[in-house]
Amino acid sequence: MCKEDQDMTLWQELLAAFCLVLILEGLTPFLIPRRWRCWVKMAAANSDRTVRLVGLASIVLGLTLLYVTH
């Protein structure tokens, strides 16, 4: 496989991953909008530090799962 084909495959995989994120992020507000709105309000009430820690934990968990599965 030539380098150009590998680059295209990488971009296609990144686009597919982004599309999956959009689908997964959209499921909760679509299926349970009232509860989702409540969760968003609770998240907005947290401090920046707490939100950052949750974000960091999510990144670390995602990277760990990606490493383990590949």
Side-chain angles (χ1 to χ4, degrees), residues 17-67:
F18 181 68
C19 292
L20 287 172
V21 167
L22 291 176
I23 291 167
L24 292 173
E25 287 288 328
L27 281 175
T28 308
F30 178 75
L31 295 174
I32 48 173
R34 255 185 242 141
R35 170 113 7 147
W36 177 81
R37 198 175 294 115
C38 181
W39 290 337
V40 171
K41 286 179 184 176
M42 286 189 317
N46 287 320
S47 69
D48 286 350
R49 185 176 195 281
T50 301
V51 173
R52 283 191 176 113
L53 286 174
V54 170
L56 178 61
S58 177
I59 291 168
V60 170
L61 178 63
L63 286 172
T64 302
L65 289 173
L66 188 61
Y67 178 77

Side-chain angles (χ1 to χ4, degrees), residues 1-9:
M1 183 181 286
C2 69
K3 174 128 174 59
E4 290 174 1
D5 291 340
Q6 289 176 343
D7 289 343
M8 188 55 138
T9 302

